[in-house]
């Protein structure tokens, strides 16, 4: 099986913009594809899960409220009996006082105890009352704002669907690129597949023929193996689009091929830069033997491995390893 380096550029773009669903990140195109195709079901399950969590939280808060309320009421009843008992004792001492000074002292003590009765009863339960109010407030807030909480709990699912819909060209591109990667995965072990190769140049390359300056170039796939070096551009277009937009395709592939040559030129003598074969993969089909000019072939995913492996050996093992090292720095 081919040795794969990197992932599809379109897939990576989508993964970078997607959020976790149910606490799990989407990590592969298969995850993205499953999410998009099962969006309604996933949204329904997420809404149910969020509602269930809210119900559990509200039920838990309700139990806590009942427990706190019972504990406070029972505690207040006990504390009321204690405080009233203490006041009664002071009053009894007033009645039994033998002199006026003692009686006055007990009267003052009784007056203070009566004045502070409510405070003396409620003070030991102030923290529990604060906690009870917090629990009641949170429960009421969850019930009142249930709709908003459900929407927030589903926000990642909603946002992901919107993101994919807004970036449908990348999704369609990812389908094509993943199809090509799957096809190329059947290549023998001595082949290497590089996905989403990004080349950058400082200063820019001057493409004299087009009077264009190339600062960067993104290549969908590069295959390196015994039969050579292949620049692979994937298009998930209709066959008619491949034909009507052929000028743009030729420009894109030639630009990428030139950028790759310049990049390799930094690591090879000018006359020893490995020759690149350019091929466009038309996911939705092409005519037999179809080409775009003398140096750009067109084929389909199911014919791609044969297209690569049927050629005569062009690179010895050492040359393949060197190319793998050089191109590997870009992924």
């Amino acid at each position: 099986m081919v040795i794969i380096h990197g992932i599809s550029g379109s897939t990576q773009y989508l993964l970078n913009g997607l959020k976790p669903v149910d606490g799990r990140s989407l990590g592969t195109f298969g995850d993205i594809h499953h999410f998009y195709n099962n969006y309604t079901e996933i949204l329904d399950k997420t809404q149910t899960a969020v509602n269930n969590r809210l119900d559990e939280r509200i039920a838990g808060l309700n139990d806590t409220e009942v427990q706190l309320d019972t504990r406070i009421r029972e505690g207040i009843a006990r504390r009321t009996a204690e405080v009233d008992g203490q006041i009664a004792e002071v009053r009894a001492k007033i009645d039994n006082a033998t002199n006026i000074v003692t009686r006055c002292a007990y009267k003052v003590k009784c007056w203070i105890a009566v004045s502070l009765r409510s405070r003396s009863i409620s003070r030991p339960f102030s923290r529990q009352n604060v906690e009870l109010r917090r629990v009641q407030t949170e429960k009421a807030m969850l019930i009142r704002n249930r709709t908003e909480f459900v929407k927030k709990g589903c926000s990642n699912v909603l946002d992901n669907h919107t993101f994919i819909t807004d970036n449908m060209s990348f999704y369609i591109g990812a389908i094509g690129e993943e199809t090509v990667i799957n096809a190329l995965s059947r290549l023998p072990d001595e082949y290497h597949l590089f996905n989403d190769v990004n080349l950058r140049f400082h200063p820019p390359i001057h493409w004299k023929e087009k009077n264009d300056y190339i600062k960067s170039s993104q290549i969908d796939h590069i295959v390196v193996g015994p039969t050579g070096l292949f620049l692979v551009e994937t298009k998930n277009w209709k066959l008619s689009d491949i034909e009507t937009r052929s000028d743009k395709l030729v420009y894109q592939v030639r630009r990428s091929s030139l950028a790759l040559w310049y990049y390799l030129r930094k690591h090879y003598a000018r006359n020893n830069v490995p020759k690149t074969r350019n091929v466009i993969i038309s996911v939705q089909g092409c005519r037999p033997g179809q080409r775009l000019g003398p140096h750009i072939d067109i084929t389909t995913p199911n014919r791609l491995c044969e297209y690569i492996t049927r050629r005569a050996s062009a690179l010895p093992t050492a040359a393949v390893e060197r190319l793998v090292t050089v191109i590997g720095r870009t992924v």
Side-chain angles (χ1 to χ4, degrees):
M1 179 177 170
V2 68
I3 300 172
I4 299 177
H5 306 263
I7 69 172
S8 152
S10 295
T11 297
Q12 187 63 67
Y13 175 85
L14 293 173
L15 291 175
N16 289 343
L18 293 172
K19 301 175 181 178
V21 174
D22 196 23
R24 188 177 69 88
S25 297
L26 304 180
T28 67
F29 179 74
D31 293 338
I32 299 172
H33 192 59
H34 177 268
F35 171 84
Y36 188 71
N37 285 341
N38 297 276
Y39 164 69
T40 302
E41 179 183 349
I42 291 171
L43 180 59
D44 288 343
K45 286 183 177 179
T46 304
Q47 289 174 333
T48 299
V50 173
N51 273 303
N52 288 342
R53 288 195 293 270
L54 282 171
D55 288 339
E56 290 174 3
R57 180 59 180 161
I58 291 170
L61 290 169
N62 190 67
D63 290 343
T64 301
E65 179 186 10
V66 171
Q67 292 170 7
L68 282 170
D69 184 65
T70 300
R71 194 181 309 155
I72 292 170
R73 284 189 290 102
E74 291 176 350
I76 286 177
R78 289 193 300 269
R79 182 61 181 160
T80 300
E82 291 174 2
V83 171
D84 287 347
Q86 292 169 358
I87 293 173
E89 289 178 4
V90 175
R91 284 173 173 166
K93 290 178 180 179
I94 293 172
D95 294 338
N96 296 326
T98 57
N99 62 70
I100 190 168
V101 174
T102 302
R103 185 179 294 111
C104 287
Y106 281 132
K107 283 184 177 181
V108 171
K109 186 176 182 180
C110 181
W111 178 82
I112 293 173
V114 171
S115 299
L116 298 177
R117 177 179 179 273
S118 295
R119 183 177 178 184
S120 298
I121 291 172
S122 61
R123 184 190 304 170
F125 308 99
S126 58
R127 290 186 179 179
Q128 293 183 49
N129 272 307
V130 169
E131 178 64 12
L132 176 61
R133 288 193 293 272
R134 185 197 68 77
V135 169
Q136 291 171 334
T137 300
E138 182 180 352
K139 186 180 80 169
M141 182 266 296
L142 290 177
I143 294 172
R144 183 175 62 253
N145 299 317
R146 173 183 283 269
T147 301
E148 288 77 7
F149 279 109
V150 172
K151 185 176 180 179
K152 183 177 180 180
C154 297
S155 61
N156 282 9
V157 175
L158 296 167
D159 290 348
N160 283 354
H161 187 263
T162 300
F163 177 77
I164 295 174
T165 302
D166 290 345
N167 293 277
M168 186 54 60
S169 62
F170 283 94
Y171 181 69
I172 294 172
I175 292 174
E177 291 171 12
E178 294 291 340
T179 299
V180 170
I181 292 172
N182 288 336
L184 289 171
S185 68
R186 297 192 292 269
L187 285 170
D189 296 347
E190 57 266 33
Y191 284 86
H192 290 256
L193 167 61
F194 295 89
N195 298 304
D196 190 30
V197 176
N198 288 277
L199 307 176
R200 293 177 176 82
F201 303 96
H202 304 283
I205 300 167
H206 184 205
W207 187 2
K208 295 179 181 179
E209 179 184 342
K210 300 295 183 179
N211 194 26
D212 188 13
Y213 287 88
I214 302 174
K215 295 181 179 179
S216 63
S217 178
Q218 186 274 336
I219 301 171
D220 289 342
H221 320 278
I222 292 178
V223 176
V224 179
T227 55
L229 171 64
F230 300 85
L231 185 154
V232 181
E233 178 68 32
T234 298
K235 292 300 177 188
N236 193 7
W237 296 354
K238 297 177 181 178
L239 179 57
S240 58
D241 290 335
I242 294 285
E243 294 173 341
T244 57
R245 300 165 69 179
S246 61
D247 290 345
K248 292 183 179 179
L249 272 178
V250 169
Y251 177 86
Q252 179 182 352
V253 173
R254 288 188 61 197
R255 184 180 186 277
S256 297
S257 185
L258 179 64
L260 179 58
W261 185 87
Y262 265 96
Y263 173 76
L264 295 176
R265 175 68 180 81
K266 297 178 182 178
H267 304 276
Y268 291 85
R270 186 180 187 89
N271 295 328
N272 292 330
V273 176
K275 181 180 178 181
T276 302
R277 184 172 291 276
N278 305 310
V279 54
I280 294 172
I281 309 305
S282 177
V283 176
Q284 299 192 34
C286 67
R287 298 194 308 273
Q290 187 176 4
R291 308 186 75 193
L292 289 182
H295 304 294
I296 304 175
D297 297 326
I298 301 180
T299 189
T300 56
N302 61 342
R303 299 175 188 163
L304 182 54
C305 284
E306 180 185 1
Y307 171 88
I308 292 172
T309 57
R310 74 184 181 188
R311 303 182 183 281
S313 294
L315 297 174
T317 300
V320 171
E321 292 175 353
R322 184 180 179 188
L323 264 175
V324 167
T325 299
V326 170
I327 297 174
R329 296 169 185 165
T330 67
V331 179

